[in-house]
């Protein structure tokens, strides 16, 4: 949700801010703006729509002089996406400018008080109260003004602030929204995400909640909420800059789909040593394991569906009951969680607000928390008792692909690792480890085996609705397949447990209704085949996803998608790939904005 950037140095600020905003555009893209400071004067440029409009308006930043500035790309929460509501917001006296990512929960009360005190509001945003509070509290000392302002705010915020009295400085404040400082040579930066920094520097400092920073071109000073200076260590970013570029692909999503064999390999391979699963990061969990009575998995969106797919392997191999709960539900459900619960939290970004809140709720009830996260140093990663990173690299497309498959890969590894630690020997460990090692190759095969997907997309792209059906892990994958389809192609796509069809949804089947049937588990194949026959006899057009050479399905389905033959316990991570490609090509056929679907943001840092 929203991206913010800041720069101070000797180079012209505006082009650097615009470049940073382009990298953050996946976080929100309904309006954007920059503020640049030149000799004690702050100038502002704002637009509705994409960063491209801001580049056009500012002639790629050339018409804004000054080498200190802040920028923002917005995903509207409070107030429509208009120019007035776009950030930065300016104080009434024009001496302060603010960009904000997050939500100020008590803004209505603050706004009323400020209006009583004579402040005039230009926008409908929650953010604008911040800039007026700073003006009110500023008595020649920005640090004091920021502390007093932060003391008034409830909610989540990452702030970037300019003060015209200090023309070479930018300020950054963090509370429950990500903010990273970049250390350059003779210049310094901040941004919501490292992807906006890596073109300039690889040395970064992660601000923590309650901290704020003063950046000049030659120094970065960090303070705690009481104004005490604190020493912070910098971290070196090892990501390849090219990993955050499109590299010849038409869309980030397609690039990220194609990167999955490598991403899953990078996640799995280093954790298999001498025929065993090794998780150095989980050693401290082992003594507590025998007391664990329940595993609860929580997450949002695709990360939640990754949990639904991984649950089967965990339960089967560890013989511990596994529940899955959406984080937005779990946080308000007065959950039955205690110190005998292992909470597995899954998040690509590590910054999803509901996920963080559910985690806090369960931690307070004594649960041990294990996070599966992609973004290093993110809030979820830092809050958890144990953190396992997926090594997917930066994921830019809003709809996740390699984030999801690497999350499931970690759940498979975890299932085998925990069962080993619990002394449960299924007698098939070696075979299963080999099966995990084969997954990257099988994902590649699933990409190569389905050259007909663009053709199928042409056949199905104009459908009114698409139904996905499957059982067990096939059902879990159907949920994610349908989500991908709606996210990027805007088609009405729903997933049903195949056995539930008769309890209502079969009423929706009519002539030529496409049904995508997932049949990748030989043990329950016959059951799903019965459902295929049922929908076909009511006129449905069936596209079946199954393993190569499955003669039985060949005779009943109209069209086919293939995966190689895999142990059904581990097949979800491969099954999803043809469905991702189908969603991609349907969206392309429908000329949708694939990497930035309407109304969606990659990192949902508000409730
Ligand atoms: C958003 C994204 C989804 C993602 C979900 C959870 O809705 O568009 O792709 O699955 O958030 O995000 P997380 O970063 O916690 O995995």
């Amino acid at each position: 949700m929203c991206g913010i950037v800041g720069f101070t140095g000797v180079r012209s600020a505006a082009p650097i801010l615009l470049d940073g905003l382009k990298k953050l555009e996946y976080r929100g893209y309904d309006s954007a703006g920059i503020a640049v400071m030149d000799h004690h004067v702050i100038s502002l440029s704002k637009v509705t729509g994409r960063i491209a409009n801001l580049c056009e308006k500012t002639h790629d930043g050339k018409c804004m002089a000054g080498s200190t500035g802040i920028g923002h790309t917005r995903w509207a929460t409070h107030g429509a996406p208009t120019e007035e509501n776009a950030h930065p917001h300016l104080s009434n006296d024009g001496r302060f400018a603010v960009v904000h990512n997050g939500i100020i929960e008590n803004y209505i009360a603050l706004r009323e008080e400020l209006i009583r005190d004579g402040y005039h509001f230009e926008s409908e945003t929650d953010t604008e109260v911040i800039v007026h509070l700073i003006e009110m509290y500023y008595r020649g000392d920005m640090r004091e003004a920021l502390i007093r302002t932060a003391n008034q705010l409830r909610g989540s915020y990452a702030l970037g602030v300019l003060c015209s009295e200090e023309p070479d400085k930018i300020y950054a404040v963090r509370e429950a929204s990500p903010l990273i400082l970049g250390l350059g040579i003779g210049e310094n930066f901040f941004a919501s995400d490292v992807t906006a920094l890596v073109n300039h520097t690889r040395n970064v400092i992660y601000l923590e909640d309650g901290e704020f920073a003063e950046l000049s071109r030659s120094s970065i000073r960090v303070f705690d909420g009481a104004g005490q200076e604190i020493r912070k260590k910098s971290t070196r970013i090892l990501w390849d800059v090219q990993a955050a570029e499109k590299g010849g692909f038409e869309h980030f999503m397609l690039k990220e789909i194609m990167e999955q064999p490598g991403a899953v390999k990078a996640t799995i391979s280093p954790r298999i040593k001498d025929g065993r699963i090794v998780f150095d990061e989980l050693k401290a969990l082992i003594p507590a394991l025998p007391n664990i009575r329940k595993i609860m998995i929580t997450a949002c969106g695709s990360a939640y569906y990754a949990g639904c797919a991984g649950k089967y392997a965990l339960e089967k191999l560890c013989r511990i009951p596994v529940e899955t709960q959406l984080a937005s539900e779990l946080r308000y459900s007065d959950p039955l969680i205690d110190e005998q619960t292992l909470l597995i939290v899954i998040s690509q970004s590590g910054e999803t607000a509901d996920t963080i809140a559910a985690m806090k709720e369960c931690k307070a009830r004594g649960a041990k928390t294990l996070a599966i996260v992609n973004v290093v140093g993110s809030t979820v990663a830092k809050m958890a008792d144990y953190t396992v990173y997926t090594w997917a690299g930066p994921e830019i497309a809003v709809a996740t692909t390699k984030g999801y498959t690497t999350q499931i890969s970690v759940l498979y590894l975890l299932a085998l690792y925990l069962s080993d630690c619990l002394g449960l020997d299924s007698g098939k460990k070696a075979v299963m480890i080999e099966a995990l090692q084969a997954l990257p190759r099988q994902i590649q095969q699933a990409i190569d085996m389905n050259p007909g997907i663009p053709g199928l997309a042409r056949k199905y792209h104009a459908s009114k609705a698409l139904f996905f059906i499957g059982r067990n892990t096939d059902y879990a994958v159907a949920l994610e397949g349908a989500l991908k389809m709606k996210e990027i192609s805007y088609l009405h796509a729903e997933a049903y447990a195949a056995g539930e069809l008769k309890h209502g949804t079969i009423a929706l089947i009519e002539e030529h209704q496409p049904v995508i049937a997932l049949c990748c588990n030989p043990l329950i194949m016959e059951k799903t085949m019965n459902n295929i026959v049922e929908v076909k006899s009511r006129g449905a057009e069936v596209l079946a996803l199954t393993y190569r050479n499955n003669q039985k399905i060949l005779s009943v389905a109209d069209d086919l998608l293939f995966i190689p033959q895999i142990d059904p316990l581990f097949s979800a991570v491969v099954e999803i790939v043809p469905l991702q490609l189908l969603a991609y090509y349907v969206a392309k056929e429908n000329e949708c904005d694939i990497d930035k679907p309407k109304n969606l943001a990659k990192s949902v840092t508000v409730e």
Side-chain angles (χ1 to χ4, degrees), residues 93-363:
D93 62 8
R95 287 190 300 164
F96 304 92
V98 166
V99 287
H100 167 217
N101 170 31
I103 285 188
I104 305 303
E105 285 162 7
N106 58 336
Y107 83 101
I108 293 177
L110 290 171
R111 189 179 169 111
E112 281 166 5
E113 271 173 49
L114 285 160
I115 289 173
R116 273 200 297 277
D117 289 339
Y119 288 90
H120 161 73
F121 279 75
E122 301 268 343
S123 76
E124 304 154 294
T125 63
D126 53 336
T127 303
E128 202 182 336
V129 297
I130 303 170
V131 76
H132 299 319
L133 285 171
I134 295 174
E135 179 185 333
M136 185 165 89
Y137 290 129
Y138 184 75
R139 302 272 181 279
D141 181 346
M142 262 307 269
R143 279 182 241 157
E144 189 199 335
L146 290 177
I147 292 169
R148 293 186 67 184
T149 300
N151 287 340
Q152 296 293 313
L153 303 177
R154 271 208 335 265
S156 61
Y157 47 88
L159 306 177
V161 187
L162 295 181
C163 166
S164 63
E165 308 289 317
E166 304 184 17
D168 300 327
K169 287 191 182 135
I170 47 177
Y171 288 88
V173 188
R174 172 183 165 140
E175 180 63 47
S177 279
L179 198 51
I180 299 140
L181 314 176
L183 294 109
I185 298 169
E187 56 189 23
N188 286 307
F189 311 79
F190 62 71
S192 308
D193 187 327
V194 284
T195 50
L197 300 174
V198 285
N199 272 341
H200 306 288
T201 177
R202 289 173 167 275
N203 295 326
V204 302
I205 293 173
Y206 291 96
L207 268 193
E208 308 281 335
D209 287 349
E211 293 177 352
F212 69 96
E214 179 189 277
L215 292 81
S216 69
R217 66 181 66 142
S218 55
S219 73
I220 291 186
R221 299 175 71 190
V222 179
F223 303 90
D224 66 14
Q228 289 298 315
E229 187 159 359
I230 36 184
R231 285 183 144 269
K232 300 275 288 184
K233 274 210 215 126
S234 66
T235 307
R236 189 144 177 87
I237 300 295
L238 299 174
W239 281 355
D240 177 2
V241 176
Q242 284 184 347
E245 309 280 345
K246 268 192 222 156
F249 286 93
E250 195 175 344
H251 296 97
F252 277 110
M253 184 175 179
L254 187 59
K255 174 180 178 244
E256 288 161 8
I257 291 173
M258 298 305 182
E259 281 173 349
Q260 289 178 113
V264 168
K265 187 162 193 220
T267 301
I268 291 181
S269 290
R271 279 139 178 169
I272 299 180
K273 286 190 191 131
D274 304 324
R276 295 190 70 160
I277 312 283
V278 187
F279 269 121
D280 289 336
E281 53 276 63
L282 297 182
K283 273 193 185 139
L285 169 67
I286 308 309
L289 263 189
N291 295 326
I292 297 298
R293 294 278 161 270
K294 171 164 99 176
I295 296 176
M296 171 67 87
I297 301 182
T298 196
C300 299
S302 297
Y304 171 72
Y305 291 146
C308 296
K311 165 190 153 95
Y312 293 89
L314 273 169
E315 254 179 3
K316 186 161 175 104
L317 298 178
C318 303
R319 311 313 296 163
I320 299 176
V322 181
E323 271 180 53
T324 50
Q325 267 270 25
L326 289 163
S328 53
E329 288 291 311
L330 183 66
R331 63 184 291 191
Y332 297 120
S333 68
D334 190 10
L336 293 174
I337 298 271
D338 57 21
E339 48 297 326
Q340 293 188 315
T341 310
L342 175 64
L343 180 80
I344 300 182
V345 181
I346 309 176
S347 177
Q348 188 285 128
S349 64
E351 302 294 349
T352 304
D354 281 321
T355 306
I356 294 169
M359 189 174 178
K360 280 190 185 150
E361 181 65 43
C362 296
K363 254 181 124 93

Side-chain angles (χ1 to χ4, degrees), residues 391-410:
W391 296 117
E395 195 180 56
I396 310 294
V398 166
T400 181
T401 51
K402 60 178 181 168
Y404 167 86
T405 43
T406 52
Q407 286 160 352
I408 302 183
S409 304
V410 170

